[in-house]
Amino acid sequence: MVISAEKPDIKLMTLEEFWDWYPDGYGRFELHNGEIVKVQPTGTHEKVAGFLALELGVEIKRLNLPFFIPRQGLIKAIDSDKSAYIPDVMVLDDNAMENEPIWNKRSTITQGKSIKLAIEVVSTNWQDDYLIKLAEYERLGINEYWIVDYLGLGGRRYIGDPKQPTISVCNLVESEYAINLFRGQDVVSSPTFPELNLTAEQIFQVGQ
């Protein structure tokens, strides 16, 4: 769940100012068009995200892939110094970090090719995941993006009618996302992790 910062008259910030402001050691925050947004997920939301991070971490270790999953990291919007986002799970290419100019100092990714997979677990602010972040991640060139809607909250134009729990896997094809939907006993197909044997229902059960 995402809620705006408590002070409605808070000064709009640049990303540089946001980095300097960011509290050390507690809380998760994003920057949306200069406005600080507090990320306050439910326990169930965190359980689903943690499950996915664990499953992907097992695959990374099993296959000895040069990837890692940061505990927390920002993705800078491609053409703005006033927006940055924190995915619920982010798989990074360790070999690409040397080309990230501010990663070591600010834990912030600026290039989509550094990100192998970004995952957002949907809460009541589903528009952020299906609209804002999908568009931003597509423009950045993030090759794979999952929207894990374990409660079936998204709009009908995204998950169908009647609504039901759905995982949308977005794969970059000629600079645009091709989207495949997975439900029930469908095995989630991931270009980054082609040997991952995980059904949509296994993920949804974690959130029940």
Side-chain angles (χ1 to χ4, degrees):
M1 182 181 298
V2 177
I3 57 176
S4 297
E6 290 182 359
K7 297 181 179 179
D9 59 344
I10 190 169
K11 173 183 175 291
L12 296 183
M13 289 187 175
T14 65
L15 187 54
E16 189 74 36
E17 291 169 331
F18 178 64
W19 285 327
D20 291 338
W21 168 90
Y22 206 102
D24 185 20
Y26 69 93
R28 296 175 63 198
F29 301 86
E30 296 183 331
L31 190 66
H32 292 198
N33 295 318
E35 181 179 357
I36 297 170
V37 174
K38 185 175 183 180
V39 180
Q40 189 169 322
T42 65
T44 306
H45 176 286
E46 289 295 272
K47 188 177 178 183
V48 172
F51 171 78
L52 289 168
L54 179 60
E55 291 293 317
L56 296 175
V58 169
E59 280 295 279
I60 291 170
K61 183 175 182 180
R62 182 178 72 86
L63 298 173
N64 195 29
L65 298 172
F67 305 158
F68 69 99
I69 300 174
R71 184 185 64 85
Q72 187 168 301
L74 288 164
I75 299 175
K76 179 186 177 297
I78 191 170
D79 57 0
S80 172
D81 69 345
K82 291 183 172 62
S83 294
Y85 310 99
I86 299 179
D88 291 306
V89 181
M90 180 165 59
V91 178
L92 298 178
D93 183 349
D94 200 24
N95 293 329
M97 291 302 100
E98 62 183 19
N99 297 317
E100 283 291 348
I102 52 179
W103 171 255
N104 287 337
K105 183 180 179 181
R106 299 294 195 178
S107 299
T108 300
I109 296 295
T110 62
Q111 302 174 52
K113 63 183 179 181
S114 301
I115 304 169
K116 304 302 293 185
L117 170 62
I119 298 176
E120 298 288 357
V121 179
V122 176
S123 294
T124 53
N125 61 311
W126 59 266
Q127 292 92 340
D128 285 355
D129 301 325
Y130 283 100
L131 293 170
I132 297 173
K133 293 184 179 181
L134 186 147
E136 289 287 354
Y137 295 168
E138 182 180 64
R139 293 173 66 201
L140 268 167
I142 297 174
N143 191 58
E144 186 174 353
Y145 169 43
W146 292 14
I147 305 173
V148 179
D149 195 346
Y150 69 98
L151 294 174
L153 296 174
R156 291 176 177 83
R157 63 187 179 276
Y158 303 113
I159 63 174
D161 189 7
K163 292 186 179 185
Q164 58 184 306
T166 302
I167 296 173
S168 303
V169 174
C170 310
N171 302 316
L172 208 60
V173 178
E174 296 180 355
S175 301
E176 294 184 9
Y177 276 142
I179 304 175
N180 294 301
L181 306 182
F182 300 89
R183 306 181 181 98
Q185 296 305 315
D186 296 339
V187 176
V188 179
S189 178
S190 167
T192 305
F193 297 95
E195 297 180 29
L196 184 67
N197 186 20
L198 194 62
T199 68
E201 186 60 31
Q202 284 177 294
I203 297 171
F204 300 150
Q205 285 180 350
V206 176
Q208 293 178 356

